[in-house]
Amino acid sequence: SLFLSGMSPIVELHKKLTAEWGKNGQRDLAAIEKILAEIKAATTLPGADQGLDSKALSTIHRDIYEITALSAALREDLRAFDDAIEQVMAYYASSTSDSDHKHLMIGLNLMYLVASNRLSEFHMLLEQVSQDVQRSNPYIAVPVTIEQSLMEGAYNKVALSEKNIPSPFFVPFFRVMTDAIRAEIATCMGKSFKKVPVSDAISLLIFKSADETIAFAKQRGWTLESNNSIIVLAASMEVDQAAKSTLEPSRIAKQTIFYAKQLEMIV
């Protein structure tokens, strides 16, 4: 064992932490948060590292930092994730041995940075990753592809379906990104169309159902007509009476269906 059993209070807490974290689908995040708080408090006590060699202590700190960040991601607490991932990156910079989870953590950091529109930090972090890893490791390749697609405005290429998510830990960052993309698409719709069929808006706005789409429309102040089958886009572009006459429903529907099909071409 890396640990000299019974010599330090943080050893038993570390064992509890890794055991609880190892439950995967049955993890109790509240219990994990409680153990993390206890072990972090224990590390500040005098003699906390008594009987532990440097390798054992490094392993404990690595697990504390990584689990703190991953737990924050699962709770979708992005502010806590931001603080925790900084500690993870600092640990990696000072550690002499690589973590098995290093690419996952870097990938999550990249996803967080691109979802937060912190692109200069995104590229600084990416420069530390080899080209081979950028291409071959899905934890890294996915955020790289997403960033490139977003910069091109090619929203249809952003991997938004669950089958493209390389890890459950990526989900909250995908949600943030999806919300941002959806808002951008909605803004474009508002500038381009007066009315959009709900059936087409479902795909266009990357929703799965009419109910979700209608709820989103109401949040934006859009109204509905024809028994909730047509969305009337409020605050559409300013158009004169002559221009209004060119916005035939059939042409709008055809354009919307075209854009919706483009969005379904997920890479």
Side-chain angles (χ1 to χ4, degrees):
S1 170
L2 291 174
F3 314 114
L4 299 178
S5 182
M7 298 296 288
S8 168
I10 65 175
V11 172
E12 290 304 315
L13 287 170
H14 177 253
K15 287 180 179 177
K16 281 178 62 178
L17 177 64
T18 54
E20 188 64 45
W21 185 253
K23 293 179 181 178
N24 293 319
Q26 286 72 48
R27 289 177 184 137
D28 182 339
L29 292 180
I32 289 167
E33 287 300 296
K34 183 174 183 294
I35 300 168
L36 281 169
E38 290 173 353
I39 195 170
K40 288 173 183 177
T43 59
T44 65
L45 297 174
D49 57 354
Q50 180 183 356
L52 292 171
D53 61 26
S54 59
K55 186 176 180 181
L57 198 58
S58 178
T59 297
I60 290 173
H61 282 125
R62 180 202 67 202
D63 290 347
I64 291 172
Y65 298 146
E66 290 181 344
I67 293 173
T68 298
L70 293 171
S71 177
L74 289 180
R75 298 194 323 274
E76 301 191 14
D77 186 341
L78 300 192
R79 181 172 295 183
F81 178 84
D82 190 13
D83 293 337
I85 200 66
E86 284 189 18
Q87 290 187 308
V88 172
M89 293 297 116
Y91 170 84
Y92 290 162
S94 62
S95 177
T96 56
S97 60
D98 273 349
S99 165
D100 291 341
H101 305 298
K102 186 172 184 177
H103 288 146
L104 168 62
M105 304 306 296
I106 292 174
L108 288 172
N109 198 9
L110 289 169
M111 280 293 296
Y112 172 70
L113 293 173
V114 73
S116 305
N117 202 32
R118 289 160 58 178
L119 300 184
S120 59
E121 294 173 70
F122 174 93
H123 289 289
M124 286 175 61
L125 177 58
L126 193 59
E127 286 174 4
Q128 301 171 33
V129 182
S130 72
Q131 291 289 330
D132 285 346
V133 172
Q134 288 183 33
R135 287 189 296 266
S136 64
N137 189 290
Y139 297 141
I140 309 298
V142 166
V144 168
T145 300
I146 288 173
E147 191 271 342
Q148 291 171 346
S149 298
L150 289 175
M151 292 306 96
E152 295 168 3
Y155 300 139
N156 58 306
K157 293 183 179 180
V158 177
L160 290 169
S161 63
E162 291 186 8
K163 66 181 180 181
N164 296 111
I165 298 176
S167 162
F169 298 112
F170 278 65
V171 170
F173 308 110
F174 271 88
R175 286 179 180 164
V176 169
M177 210 166 302
T178 302
D179 289 344
I181 291 171
R182 189 174 284 135
E184 182 68 20
I185 292 170
T187 298
C188 293
M189 289 169 62
K191 293 177 179 178
S192 304
F193 308 131
K194 277 185 65 182
K195 299 179 181 181
V196 175
V198 170
S199 57
D200 295 332
I202 293 171
S203 296
L204 188 58
L205 289 167
I206 326 170
F207 282 117
K208 295 179 180 178
S209 70
D211 288 344
E212 290 177 318
T213 308
I214 289 169
F216 176 83
K218 289 178 178 178
Q219 286 176 353
R220 289 192 70 89
W222 295 343
T223 56
L224 293 112
E225 64 180 29
S226 301
N227 196 27
N228 286 352
S229 65
I230 300 289
I231 297 174
V232 181
L233 282 65
S236 294
M237 64 177 181
E238 295 294 326
V239 291
D240 58 28
Q241 197 62 36
K244 287 181 183 179
S245 66
T246 68
L247 297 175
E248 303 92 358
S250 62
R251 184 172 64 82
I252 292 171
K254 287 177 182 177
Q255 287 176 304
T256 307
I257 290 167
F258 169 78
Y259 293 131
K261 286 180 178 176
Q262 293 298 304
L263 280 167
E264 288 171 354
M265 295 168 59
I266 303 296
V267 171

